[in-house]
Amino acid sequence: MVKRSRLIAGLGAAAVLHGAVASPVDLSNALPNFFGGGVGSTTEYAGGKDRIVGAVPGMRYVTSGGHLFEWYGTYAQYNFGSLTGFQWGPALALRLGRRDVDDAVIAQVHTVDTTLEGGGFVGYEYSHVGDFPFRLRGEVTVVTNAGVVYSGARVSLNTSAWFPVHARVFVGGGLGATWVSGGFNETYYGITAQDAAKSGLPVYTPGGGLNQVTSWIAAIYQISPSWYAGAMVYYQRLMDDAANSPVVTQRGTRNQITYGVGIAYAFR
């Protein structure tokens, strides 16, 4: 079965890819196509503390009809709106599971399969060109896997800002939050009676609500007109019922950090 380590460790680096090309070029309102890859490190599963390393691809492509396709690691979306201004469209996400983990206790808790989530997003992007150019973006995404692995849905709010500090250096940051259904938390953070008997952890049945808050910082360097490199640190703090799970309090940590580096090639 596919382990989380092979899929998620480059998520921070994948986000760098988005900033590495879109941010500097957005400031002049000329968005290119690009493809690239990244490597990074993150926790083995949501709420865990053991770390792993992996790699992911990323790309951005504007169709002949002016629509935008973006794919960063485990997330992809297709924008039917404007390249700047109001944006909307379908979204797909690969929700990574929990299987074959290193922690011997968590290995006795029910496994969670990797699953595909589907839904949509709405957002707005503003690109300012002037004496001090900058780029702002806000987006709300709603996805579900229709009960295949968990019941209910996941709603995420994400914001970002980018601005230059040198002709070739750009910095960015963002804040976000995620709300989930009770069914989501039960799957990823719950402890059933059978789990408790095998692992020794207490029975735990979480409800829904605020799942996490996030923040990130990144820096981008333009190597040449077509090549960009970047580095990023992405922080997730589990909240409420997710943070109170024995998976987190007894075997893991509510503070989840992902970091990575990426490189991308831009083309017209």
Side-chain angles (χ1 to χ4, degrees):
M1 300 299 292
V2 177
K3 288 189 67 176
R4 178 182 173 87
S5 60
R6 297 174 186 170
L7 296 171
I8 196 174
L11 273 178
V16 167
L17 294 176
H18 183 234
V21 177
S23 299
V25 186
D26 276 1
L27 300 179
S28 64
N29 279 335
L31 296 91
N33 300 315
F34 81 90
F35 65 87
V39 295
S41 173
T42 192
T43 53
E44 190 177 11
Y45 56 90
K49 62 182 179 181
D50 295 325
R51 301 196 65 82
I52 39 74
V53 175
V56 292
M59 70 173 295
R60 177 185 190 280
Y61 181 75
V62 179
T63 69
S64 59
H67 296 148
L68 173 62
F69 172 71
E70 295 176 285
W71 170 35
Y72 308 117
T74 58
Y75 179 80
Q77 67 182 38
Y78 191 88
N79 175 27
F80 285 110
S82 303
L83 297 182
T84 59
F86 181 66
Q87 301 176 337
W88 64 277
L92 290 175
L94 192 65
R95 169 53 49 177
L96 304 170
R98 184 180 64 218
R99 183 180 293 270
D100 301 327
V101 299
D102 292 333
D103 189 307
V105 173
I106 298 300
Q108 301 303 311
V109 177
H110 66 273
T111 60
V112 181
D113 290 333
T114 295
T115 189
L116 185 65
E117 299 173 306
F121 76 96
V122 294
Y124 191 87
E125 182 172 315
Y126 175 72
S127 184
H128 177 76
V129 178
D131 293 336
F132 183 74
F134 59 88
R135 169 183 174 266
L136 304 175
R137 187 177 187 179
E139 190 171 283
V140 175
T141 304
V142 181
V143 293
T144 180
N145 85 327
V148 175
V149 170
Y150 68 85
S151 60
R154 182 167 61 91
V155 181
S156 297
L157 169 65
N158 290 290
T159 62
S160 66
W162 285 92
F163 57 92
V165 295
H166 184 269
R168 289 177 175 247
V169 180
F170 302 82
V171 296
L175 298 172
T178 301
W179 292 261
V180 299
S181 62
F184 180 98
N185 271 345
E186 284 184 23
T187 297
Y188 294 95
Y189 300 100
I191 304 293
T192 67
Q194 185 178 15
D195 294 336
K198 291 181 178 180
S199 67
L201 297 174
V203 173
Y204 184 68
T205 305
L210 180 62
N211 175 263
Q212 66 175 8
V213 294
T214 62
S215 62
W216 58 268
I217 56 174
I220 305 302
Y221 177 71
Q222 184 179 7
I223 302 171
S224 71
S226 297
W227 286 97
Y228 297 82
M232 179 185 229
V233 177
Y234 181 71
Y235 172 70
Q236 300 163 272
R237 182 171 175 82
L238 297 177
M239 303 295 290
D240 298 345
D241 284 16
N244 293 327
S245 167
V247 171
V248 178
T249 60
Q250 296 191 27
R251 306 302 304 180
T253 174
R254 69 185 299 181
N255 299 306
Q256 306 279 288
I257 298 177
T258 298
Y259 51 86
V261 294
I263 190 167
Y265 175 77
F267 62 96
R268 298 294 175 183

